């Protein structure tokens, strides 16, 4: 890293980054307040290159939102519904299995599955769903359920301790937990945007138990609403501390709030500069996370491509169908092809590699799905 490109007020932080030394919360806050986006990109790229070289990854996956019926009414959420609401939906096991069966013919390696806190689905429904999905392909990784879904299943559905519930889910086929539901950990923020949801400690407890069982999961942050920069840093601090303790997080996936709910519609959406700044600061501060993902569903594919120069080493996946952000107003595509993801990674000067659910590189397969597009004009960017 050429320190001559770093402004004097950030030079001491850059020197720490260059030698791999951990930065403090005060220094992270200083980075968030900096207007020198290029300096942040240089520092974040230093960390990214040290951890991941010139590779940029993606996963070939299929999203399934099995239902949006939920007992909670989080102020920020445009996804959840009551049973009688016009936008409520609930897929049957047969419909879900059929959708995944079709996606397997396209070469997916993961199904990513979350839903609302359903008031009436039973234990047998969840276990049969996992067993039926696993029966389709034993190599398919079922990445499912947020921490609050796991708590809901343990406390209201299975009526068992969290660890026992997770053991039963794993025996039925659960391969990894998702990172959703973290939002911002600060209790005052949670009380305003998601009152009634689990606390930061309860979110962490589920992941701590899962990691203690040998399981892996991702971590997230929903930012750009009412939180302060200091509260963002505190969120990252708690994630870094939990990762120090368990080592069970595979990657970090931040995403900006979509201001479409009536209670929070007055909030201005995070700018592209703020998105890149947040990714860069996250990469610099979360020194014990190997991977930072730019969630193109949230930020759009063009900005995700630029984010590869701001500490990002992963563009998430093909998705195929996403409902949570799109029901909140996202105008990005519902899916991306492998060819598109590989093309934009190469355009950014990076080497594309397909990964599995645990960010491990997969052997290169020369398939129709992976072949480069015939015409660049056919690509769908946003």
């Amino acid at each position: 890293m050429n320190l001559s490109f770093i402004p004097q007020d950030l030079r001491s932080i850059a020197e720490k980054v260059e030698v791999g030394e951990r930065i403090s919360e005060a220094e992270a806050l200083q980075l968030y307040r900096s207007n020198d986006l290029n300096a942040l990109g240089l520092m974040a790229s230093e960390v990214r290159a040290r951890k991941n070289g010139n590779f940029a990854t993606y996963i070939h996956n299929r999203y399934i939102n099995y239902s949006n019926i939920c007992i909670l009414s989080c102020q920020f959420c445009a996804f959840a519904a009551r049973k009688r609401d016009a936008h409520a939906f609930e897929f049957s096991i047969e419909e879900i299995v059929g959708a995944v069966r079709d996606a397997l013919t396209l070469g997916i390696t993961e199904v990513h599955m979350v839903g609302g806190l359903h008031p009436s689905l039973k234990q047998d429904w969840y276990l049969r769903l996992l067993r039926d999905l696993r029966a389709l392909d034993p190599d398919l990784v079922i990445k499912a359920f947020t921490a609050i879904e796991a708590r809901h299943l343990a406390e209201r559905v299975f009526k068992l301790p969290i660890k026992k519930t997770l053991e039963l889910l794993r025996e039925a086929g659960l391969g990894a937990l998702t990172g959703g539901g973290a939002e911002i950990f600060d209790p005052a923020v949670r009380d305003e945007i998601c009152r009634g949801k689990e606390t930061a400690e309860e979110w962490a407890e589920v992941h701590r138990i899962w990691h203690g069982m040998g399981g892996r999961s991702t971590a997230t942050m929903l930012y750009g609403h009412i939180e302060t920069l200091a509260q963002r840093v505190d969120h990252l601090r708690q994630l870094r501390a939990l990762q120090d303790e368990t080592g069970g997080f595979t990657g970090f996936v931040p995403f900006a709030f979509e201001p479409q709910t009536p209670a929070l519609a007055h909030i201005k959406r995070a700018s592209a500069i703020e998105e890149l700044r947040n990714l860069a600061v996250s990469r610099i501060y979360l020194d014990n996370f190997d991977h930072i993902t730019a969630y193109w569903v949230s930020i759009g594919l063009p900005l995700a491509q630029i984010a590869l120069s701001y500490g990002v080493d992963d563009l998430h996946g093909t998705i195929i169908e996403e409902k949570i952000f799109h029901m909140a107003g996202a105008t990005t595509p519902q899916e991306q092809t492998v060819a598109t993801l590989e093309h934009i990674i190469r355009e950014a000067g990076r080497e594309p590699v397909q990964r599995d659910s645990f960010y491990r590189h997969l052997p290169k397969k020369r398939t129709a799905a992976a072949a480069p597009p015939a015409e660049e004009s056919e690509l769908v960017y946003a």
Side-chain angles (χ1 to χ4, degrees), residues 104-371:
L104 280 168
T105 66
L106 302 176
I108 67 164
T109 62
E110 172 193 276
V111 56
H112 185 289
M113 187 168 59
V114 297
L117 307 188
H118 200 287
S120 57
L121 291 177
K122 305 300 183 185
Q123 174 177 331
D124 287 347
W125 189 92
Y126 291 97
L127 295 180
R128 184 162 71 89
L129 173 61
L130 292 172
R131 292 187 188 110
D132 288 357
L133 288 173
R134 183 170 61 179
L136 291 174
D137 183 346
D139 294 327
L140 176 70
V141 175
I142 304 171
K143 183 176 182 179
F145 311 128
T146 63
I148 192 170
E149 283 179 272
R151 294 193 77 93
H152 171 74
L153 294 178
E155 295 168 3
R156 297 184 178 90
V157 182
F158 289 39
K159 294 181 170 58
L160 292 169
I162 294 171
K163 183 177 182 181
K164 181 60 177 177
T165 299
L166 291 173
E167 287 173 347
L168 290 173
L169 293 171
R170 185 169 63 179
E171 289 169 6
L174 179 64
L177 282 182
T178 75
E183 322 314 356
I184 290 290
F185 287 147
D186 185 271
V189 173
R190 298 182 82 79
D191 187 59
E192 190 164 342
I193 70 167
C194 55
R195 188 175 301 118
K197 207 166 195 177
E198 88 275 45
T199 65
E201 293 76 16
E202 289 170 335
W203 183 93
E205 180 187 21
V206 172
H207 288 275
R208 182 181 290 110
I209 292 171
W210 180 247
H211 296 169
M213 295 165 52
R216 306 299 298 278
S217 59
T218 46
T220 64
M221 175 172 70
L222 179 70
Y223 68 96
H225 38 85
I226 66 168
E227 87 287 353
T228 64
L229 294 179
Q231 288 165 335
R232 282 192 209 174
V233 172
D234 182 66
H235 186 97
L236 296 177
R237 177 192 63 79
Q238 293 188 54
L239 288 178
R240 191 168 75 173
L242 185 55
Q243 182 73 333
D244 278 343
E245 177 187 342
T246 71
F249 290 117
T250 53
F252 176 61
V253 191
F255 33 77
F257 170 65
E258 294 284 348
Q260 296 295 321
T261 60
L264 299 173
H266 61 284
I267 295 173
K268 185 178 180 180
R269 197 192 187 284
S271 68
I273 289 175
E274 186 57 32
E275 303 241 35
L276 293 175
R277 180 187 289 114
N278 189 72
L279 287 163
V281 175
S282 299
R283 174 62 288 169
I284 296 165
Y285 181 83
L286 294 175
D287 54 10
N288 54 4
F289 279 69
D290 287 335
H291 306 285
I292 303 292
T293 290
Y295 190 46
W296 64 258
V297 169
S298 172
I299 70 175
L301 205 54
L303 190 58
Q305 183 184 48
I306 296 171
L308 292 171
S309 296
Y310 289 84
V312 165
D313 68 284
D314 179 72
L315 293 186
H316 207 281
T318 50
I319 306 293
I320 298 181
E321 182 182 26
E322 194 281 338
K323 292 183 180 292
I324 295 176
F325 274 82
H326 286 88
M327 290 180 72
T331 58
T332 53
Q334 286 279 354
E335 65 177 301
Q336 298 292 347
T337 65
V338 166
T340 298
L341 293 174
E342 292 202 347
H343 179 77
I344 70 157
I345 289 170
R346 288 193 184 95
E347 275 197 334
R350 307 282 291 284
E351 183 177 345
V353 179
Q354 185 177 342
R355 65 168 174 89
D356 67 9
S357 301
F358 309 105
Y359 289 80
R360 297 175 301 203
H361 292 189
L362 294 176
K364 180 69 175 179
K365 292 182 180 180
R366 190 65 181 177
T367 65

